[in-house]
Amino acid sequence: MASAAQDIAPRGLSRTVSNSLGSSASPTSTFHFPPPRSRKQLKPFATEDIKILLLENVNQTGQDILAQQGYQVESFKSSLPEEQLIEKIRDVHAIGIRSKTKLTAKVLREAKNLIVIGCFCIGTNQVDLDYAAKHGIAVFNSPFSNSRSVAELVIGEVIALARQLCDRSNEMHKGTWNKVSNKCWEIRGKVLGIIGYGHIGSQLSVLAESMGMQVIYYDVVNLMALGTAKQVPTLADLLRDADFVTCHVPELPETKDMVGPKELEQMKTGSYLINASRGSVVDIPALIDAMRTGKIAGAALDVYPSEPAGNGDYFMNDLNFWAEDLRSLNNIILTPHIGGSTDEAQSAIGIEGTVAGSLVRYINEGTTLGAVNLPEVTLRSLTLDEPNHVRVIYIHHNVPGVLRKVNAILGDHNVDKQMTDSRGEVAYLMADISDVNQGEIKDLFESLEALSCGFRNSEQDG
């Protein structure tokens, strides 16, 4: 659908774009607000009409960036129960979440005004991306802002496991002095096997090498090694040779129980396993069995198949049936999904170039650079030197004949710039048109709205 209305209206009527004094159109530049004359004040809606809902204690930096645009920002420190979430999401235009909030099709179906979702984290599996895309809702995440924090946590866990630090600390807290060196190791010269050599895995590789470890990695695609790391052809090769195995893969059907009984048996006797990726990657009951037999000497888990929605005494058997068995093991580090929970990571997630900046650029300019569920399309910003210009955004089914119909509507006007791209079943068109008046904008909107091939359309009026 298209929009040129002066007010924000529910989905099915219109969606408009904000007036912005400036957010950089470059995904790599520093967030700043240029002087008003450098960019056109875009219409047709006022920024104060935009409602933003932020959940799960989104960093203050991100909140400030959104509030500085004039948006109405409401924030909560935790996730919301589904019924309360549905009630809150009905009249918001953007929502920011972390990993606990589940934006299912049931929830998104009630979000009549929603145009964009910001995941202030790496993962997006908590969002129904397909439903969002087919309803013109863009989804952005922060794919690398917390990678250093996760990598540092893993390095700390490697050392702690090798020296049995957590067991010795727990004993001291109970008053027990137990000075031992048996089965305690230096990590220098040991082999670290990294499953998944992405943003986190590659940073971890560099840190591990700097501490004298040998690094091997397995990935489903061929990737350039950093330093002297070596890619191995199969997961079995990695498991056979590594003293420490660490998982850094997304949650996919292919990665469910990626490390199960068979894989644990392939690991070296007395080796260690770390999972800071997704809770479904490791078969935890199988890990418990492997640690009880001594096959695995220690493990560190930061993620679990089922995680509580908030802080409290929830890590019990009614959450995961094996929780008490897991907690009873020696030399196991259990942390509550804190891999990316540092001030630096949360601040980086909030600033421009990541989530908050992406939300601003999408709301104000329609730019989809960095979207995980829509084609990535951008045009340079309209400026004050371009009066009577309008930006048309048309999200449509990727089927033959749509562009012909759209260009037939735009053909009576001077199209200064136009770009389109597709991703699966969804296509995204952006066009800047000059020398148009309000009456012509209304005609454009109604003509595009009448097409049956659109998911959602919007216009940015100057």
Side-chain angles (χ1 to χ4, degrees), residues 279-290:
S280 61
V281 172
V282 173
D283 182 337
I284 295 182
L287 173 63
I288 293 171
D289 291 340

Side-chain angles (χ1 to χ4, degrees), residues 315-330:
F315 197 65
M316 305 294 180
N317 276 12
D318 55 354
L319 181 69
N320 294 293
F321 70 90
W322 36 254
E324 292 180 17
D325 288 337
L326 186 68
R327 299 199 327 260
S328 70
L329 297 172
N330 291 326

Side-chain angles (χ1 to χ4, degrees), residues 277-351:
S277 57
R278 287 292 178 260
S280 61
V281 172
V282 173
D283 182 337
I284 295 182
L287 173 63
I288 293 171
D289 291 340
M291 290 189 67
R292 283 175 171 169
T293 64
K295 176 68 177 181
I296 303 300
L301 303 177
D302 188 47
V303 290
Y304 311 90
S306 297
E307 298 180 358
N311 294 338
D313 297 330
Y314 303 123
F315 197 65
M316 305 294 180
N317 276 12
D318 55 354
L319 181 69
N320 294 293
F321 70 90
W322 36 254
E324 292 180 17
D325 288 337
L326 186 68
R327 299 199 327 260
S328 70
L329 297 172
N330 291 326
N331 204 25
I332 187 160
I333 302 172
L334 304 176
T335 50
H337 205 151
I338 59 170
S341 296
T342 63
D343 282 348
E344 294 88 348
Q346 294 309 306
S347 179
I349 286 171
I351 64 174

Side-chain angles (χ1 to χ4, degrees), residues 35 57 72 107 119 134 189 244 264 267 274 288 295 299 314 353 398 404 447:
N57 201 27
Q72 298 180 44
V107 173
C119 297
K134 291 178 180 178
F244 296 83
L264 290 165
M267 291 174 64
I274 298 171
I288 293 171
K295 176 68 177 181
Y314 303 123
N398 184 25
R404 182 177 67 251
S447 297

Side-chain angles (χ1 to χ4, degrees), residues 115-128:
I115 59 174
V116 62
I117 298 166
C119 297
F120 286 75
C121 53
I122 293 177
T124 56
N125 55 294
Q126 68 275 39
V127 179
D128 189 327

Side-chain angles (χ1 to χ4, degrees), residues 334-404:
L334 304 176
T335 50
H337 205 151
I338 59 170
S341 296
T342 63
D343 282 348
E344 294 88 348
Q346 294 309 306
S347 179
I349 286 171
I351 64 174
E352 193 258 359
T354 54
V355 185
S358 296
L359 295 183
V360 169
R361 287 193 299 274
Y362 184 73
I363 293 170
N364 292 1
E365 303 179 20
T367 296
T368 57
L369 288 179
V372 299
N373 68 329
L374 293 180
E376 294 188 85
V377 177
T378 187
L379 293 174
R380 69 170 178 83
S381 302
L382 298 176
T383 69
L384 291 171
D385 298 326
E386 297 171 300
N388 301 321
H389 282 57
V390 62
R391 173 162 292 177
V392 176
I393 296 169
Y394 191 70
I395 308 173
H396 60 87
H397 295 273
N398 184 25
V399 294
V402 177
L403 290 180
R404 182 177 67 251

